[in-house]
Amino acid sequence: MYSCKMSGMSTASNPVTEETSPITIFYIVQPTIIELPRVRILNEIYDTPKRQFPVGTTIQLTCQGEIGNDVSKTIRWCARKDGEFSFTGMVQTPIHSKAFPSGCQYTRSSVITYNLTSEDIFTEFLCESGDTGMCGTGTAVQYVNISSIKPTVIETPRVRILNEIYDTPKRHFPAGTTIQLTCQGEVGNDASKTIRWCAQKAGRNIFTGLSHTPNHSKATPLGCQYTRSSTITYSLTKEDNFTKILCESGVIGMCGTGTAIQYVNITIECGTSNTRTADTQSSFLIPFLSGNAVGMCVIIFAIILAMILIRHLRQQQLKKCVNQEHNGRGPIPSNREEHHTEPGPNEDHLYTELHTEQAEISRETGQFTSTPDNQYSELHTINRQLETPHLL
């Protein structure tokens, strides 16, 4: 409240005092200072610097700052979740402290309690004062970002043929093979959560959940989350010419929406099945190999038969040549000192050729090397018989 007072002297030298009516002036001081929201887990004593918490965690947010010169003013809380474009006022009821004067303004604090859900993947909170309408229009505003802990780490599925001891690096199997797939990873802070299995076959556009019941291990705490493994048994059919199998955790809906996902591709061998074992494969090869052996024996036998035939023909030709050569010599002298007729050069040449042929046949057929000698004895006997009329 203000007033104006004037004092002075009149023309008669009398003091004069004039005072106006009181004037009341109202002014509004806008807040400009507010602190960052402090975070504390419910029922704990101290604030925490953490800004990431498991789903289901209840936190308390505290904000302190100026509220202006109006003692009735408070601090407002708003939030914006992941995917939202604007802030909205929080439905939770905050607790306001008593207002304290500070200069020409008042200050106070405000505490709000919030329970994190699976939707709080990334939620931005603000506290503000001096607001005039929509969230975020205050003259003093501060923010804090809170996110829920989601599983982010999961291993690639391991593959093992049913009833075998060790995992296999193979991803290509005969139709009818039964395989076991094992996946291990984080499942979040809820020990009841598990790992989900889905598959996408060739020609399909989406993954669908596997109807097989997986075997889940016990959840083991690791930091602020739990980890567990999951094993599922799957029998390959002819439809699995290319099947993509995934394991995931942190799921919120359809297959493939998890926050931790890994894949493995399984294919089948064309025209084969697991009913064929190594023994049956060997039995399949035995007739094939046996047929080849018989064929080789037939070829060898034909070669040997051809060599024997050639030998016989050459023997016949040799006898004929010997007879022709003997008939062309003319009469043999009666001198008894020259009664011995030595074989001519052509006969020696034919004998040498016969000996060579016999040696080659012996090497091919495995006969004894004495065969050429026997043939020579036969030839010598024939020559002696041809020479006998001249010696008489």
Side-chain angles (χ1 to χ4, degrees), residues 33-37 63 77 125-128 140-144:
I33 299 174
I34 196 169
E35 69 177 9
L36 288 169
C63 199
W77 291 93
F125 297 89
L126 71 79
C127 61
E128 63 178 345
V141 185
Q142 288 291 358
Y143 304 86
V144 63

Side-chain angles (χ1 to χ4, degrees), residues 76 78 128 130-138:
R76 182 170 67 176
C78 300
E128 63 178 345
D131 57 273
T132 59
M134 296 177 63
C135 284
T137 61

Side-chain angles (χ1 to χ4, degrees), residues 58-110:
T58 301
I59 58 175
Q60 287 181 327
L61 302 172
T62 301
C63 199
Q64 183 174 346
E66 299 174 343
I67 57 172
N69 65 317
D70 186 355
V71 70
S72 66
K73 294 296 183 180
T74 59
I75 293 173
R76 182 170 67 176
W77 291 93
C78 300
R80 181 174 63 183
K81 295 185 178 182
D82 184 48
E84 295 179 348
F85 296 100
S86 60
F87 285 90
T88 56
M90 298 179 66
V91 297
Q92 292 83 356
T93 302
I95 300 173
H96 302 295
S97 69
K98 183 180 178 180
F100 294 94
S102 176
C104 60
Q105 292 199 59
Y106 290 93
T107 62
R108 73 178 348 138
S109 65
S110 178

Side-chain angles (χ1 to χ4, degrees), residues 12 36 66 78 111 117 163 230 239 242 246 270 310 362:
L36 288 169
E66 299 174 343
C78 300
V111 179
T117 68
N163 297 327
S230 178
E239 297 180 357
F242 185 88
L246 71 80
C270 297
I310 292 172
S362 298

